[in-house]
Amino acid sequence: MPCKQEVAEHLGAKISELCSYIYAAEHRLLTLIREFDEQEGWAHLGFHSCAYWLNFKCGIDMNTARERVRVAHALGRLPKIDARFAKGAISYSKVRAVTRIAAEADEDYLLKIAKHGTAHHVEKLVRLYRRAERLQDTEAAKERHDNRQLSHHYDENGCLVIKGRFPAGQGKLIVKALEMAMEKQYSGDADADVSADHVPSGQTPHIENGPNVSAETSRRIACDSSVLRIDEDKNGEPLAIGRKSRSIPPAMRRALRMRDKGCRFPGCTNDKFVDGHHIEHWADGGETSLDNLVLLCRRHHHLVHEGGFSCDKMASGELIFRNQRNTPLPHWSLLPTVGDDDINNWLEREFFDRGINAETCRSQWYAGERMDWNLAVGHLFTKSASGASADYVPWG
Ligand SMILES: [Zn+2]
Ligand SMILES: [Zn+2]
């Protein structure tokens, strides 16, 4: 009978072996996600992005899904790290961390850190590098601020000549103020007082007569506009106002919100910034009634009008959304379920010849070594062109 310690060792070996299988499988998953995203396989179903599709179809929360898509694309540019990850030899945690700085740093060096160090070492090094980078940015920003210049004079024609040098953010504000001053001049208000204080933040000089919009765009805008008003019945909250108006009265809007909660497009979780969409458009004889309305987020409202998608209501009351090829979209996500035998067979089939064992993903680091963080971060800033980094060891 094995003693307690032997049992624990056996369990530990099983866990680390399984981890390597999981990393190899994660690598496969990310490779597929990259290919899928490159082909925009999610677009014909009306999803905003690959992350939204992963959220709906695979049950991955939005932040994790976005991160996976990011890492998947980064790996496509890191062949050496990608190859180690495929063998189950480095973990997803390490891969995720190094991809955050991979564009700036040398891949050989990052791979060395990822192979030798623990996940803690990799995470901490990336964090310290980012902090050093921010400090450098702050110093550069201070330098830009210190080097500001502004001079102006009036030339012989009585025109103002301005010359200056500003940090980008401040420069943007100044250009905005100048554009507003120019605009005022064009509108015959040249003498109006314009100072930087009057520049509304986050607002650009507005063009009164916007560009013409397509017929479908104007239908979308008309679908949920509040241009027309109707009198509400003081006793009730009307569920239908027939053809009186295309605009949705507040009481009906509330009822619509209560019924639909958020966007009804399959796979969409958006419940803010939603429009009421007339299933049969008002211009085609559709009524303004709860029955003929459905909540859609801005993106999906856009897709249904200008994007070639459609939304119909069946006699049973069921909503059917179709894509540009007129294919109905699925309503719910069905996760495949697999039995224990299937999982074991799959692992055997996919990974058995890779020689994965309990040692595959082990860090080469041992507890006596200490990383020289300053040297290691400093080395990240000198992206090696000579390949000398392969011999560089930040541990001592
Ligand atoms: Zn609409
Ligand atoms: Zn939506």
Side-chain angles (χ1 to χ4, degrees):
M1 184 158 172
C3 72
K4 216 173 164 185
Q5 193 184 334
E6 282 168 344
V7 172
E9 273 172 15
H10 179 70
L11 282 176
K14 278 276 166 213
I15 291 170
S16 52
E17 186 183 341
L18 180 59
C19 278
S20 281
Y21 280 114
I22 291 172
Y23 303 150
E26 294 221 43
H27 172 269
R28 177 75 55 85
L29 174 67
L30 292 187
T31 306
L32 293 174
I33 288 176
R34 182 169 66 246
E35 283 172 20
F36 183 68
D37 195 28
E38 279 166 357
Q39 292 172 19
E40 297 195 345
W42 40 268
H44 73 282
L45 294 169
F47 285 91
H48 298 56
S49 67
C50 191
Y52 277 89
W53 182 88
L54 285 169
N55 175 58
F56 175 60
K57 195 74 182 174
C58 308
I60 302 176
D61 82 82
M62 281 306 299
N63 286 339
T64 309
R66 284 196 194 96
E67 185 71 345
R68 291 204 175 222
V69 174
R70 182 192 69 75
V71 176
H73 285 289
L75 275 176
R77 298 182 290 272
L78 299 165
K80 293 172 189 170
I81 290 172
D82 188 67
R84 291 296 296 177
F85 188 30
K87 287 181 158 52
I90 45 177
S91 69
Y92 176 69
S93 300
K94 290 180 180 180
V95 168
R96 190 184 53 186
V98 295
T99 53
R100 280 193 217 119
I101 59 169
E104 298 115 279
D106 174 51
E107 189 186 357
D108 286 320
Y109 182 58
L110 290 176
L111 182 59
K112 200 178 178 67
I113 301 278
K115 271 163 71 177
H116 195 93
T118 64
H120 164 77
H121 287 116
V122 180
E123 274 288 342
K124 184 169 175 181
L125 181 61
V126 169
R127 206 168 56 239
L128 289 176
Y129 173 75
R130 279 269 173 258
R131 192 191 297 166
E133 207 180 33
R134 275 199 301 279
L135 272 175
Q136 242 184 12
D137 283 351
T138 313
E139 274 165 29
K142 187 177 177 306
E143 200 178 305
R144 285 194 292 274
H145 187 263
D146 290 346
N147 289 334
R148 282 174 311 155
Q149 287 173 10
L150 173 65
S151 66
H152 72 274
H153 67 273
Y154 288 89
D155 68 9
E156 61 274 17
N157 299 319
C159 290
L160 177 67
V161 178
I162 305 172
K163 196 177 168 190
R165 175 203 293 267
F166 308 94
Q170 196 177 24
K172 234 177 178 174
L173 200 69
I174 289 166
V175 170
K176 216 177 260 183
L178 289 172
E179 280 174 353
M180 283 186 76
M182 296 285 283
E183 189 104 332
K184 288 215 174 210
Q185 190 162 25
Y186 284 131
S187 62
D189 195 11
D191 295 330
D193 183 28
V194 177
S195 75
D197 291 342
H198 294 132
V199 180
S201 64
Q203 203 177 306
T204 50
H206 175 70
I207 302 164
E208 193 91 54
N209 297 312
N212 290 328
V213 292
S214 71
E216 260 313 320
T217 302
S218 60
R219 280 166 75 92
R220 172 170 55 81
I221 294 164
C223 209
D224 187 16
S225 82
S226 319
V227 178
L228 302 173
R229 289 178 50 190
I230 62 139
D231 293 323
E232 255 178 75
D233 183 347
K234 65 174 182 233
N235 296 324
E237 303 195 334
L239 296 183
I241 54 169
R243 298 278 302 155
K244 272 189 226 161
S245 162
R246 66 167 193 262
S247 77
I248 306 165
M252 194 184 299
R253 190 177 290 279
R254 277 198 298 278
L256 184 61
R257 258 205 164 277
M258 273 183 55
R259 188 196 67 188
D260 286 357
K261 308 282 193 293
C263 178
R264 292 286 304 274
F265 197 92
C268 186
T269 53
N270 216 328
D271 57 5
K272 296 181 183 70
F273 309 113
V274 282
D275 292 334
H277 167 69
H278 286 72
I279 298 165
E280 187 185 1
H281 196 273
W282 201 79
D284 298 331
E287 288 189 344
T288 299
S289 64
L290 263 191
D291 226 28
N292 190 39
L293 286 168
V294 62
L295 278 188
L296 292 178
C297 70
R298 295 285 149 85
R299 179 192 157 82
H300 287 131
H301 199 189
H302 189 275
L303 270 191
V304 164
H305 281 279
E306 293 104 318
F309 282 63
S310 65
C311 169
D312 295 299
K313 196 169 197 172
M314 304 291 98
S316 61
E318 189 190 5
L319 284 173
I320 302 284
F321 289 86
R322 290 187 172 83
N323 65 13
Q324 293 108 328
R325 283 175 289 174
N326 216 26
T327 311
L329 302 179
H331 286 244
W332 57 84
S333 74
L334 274 181
L335 286 177
T337 50
V338 284
D340 288 351
D341 282 349
D342 293 334
I343 293 174
N344 288 331
N345 290 338
W346 182 82
L347 287 171
E348 281 283 315
R349 199 176 61 242
E350 295 290 317
F351 299 112
F352 76 96
D353 61 345
R354 294 182 188 214
I356 285 177
N357 59 39
E359 296 299 304
T360 303
C361 64
R362 188 172 63 84
S363 309
Q364 291 160 11
W365 181 81
Y366 63 90
E369 291 176 306
R370 288 287 170 266
M371 186 185 257
D372 187 328
W373 296 106
N374 287 331
L375 280 178
V377 171
H379 194 80
L380 283 174
F381 279 100
T382 56
K383 189 169 179 170
S384 161
S386 61
S389 66
D391 302 322
Y392 182 85
V393 182
W395 277 277

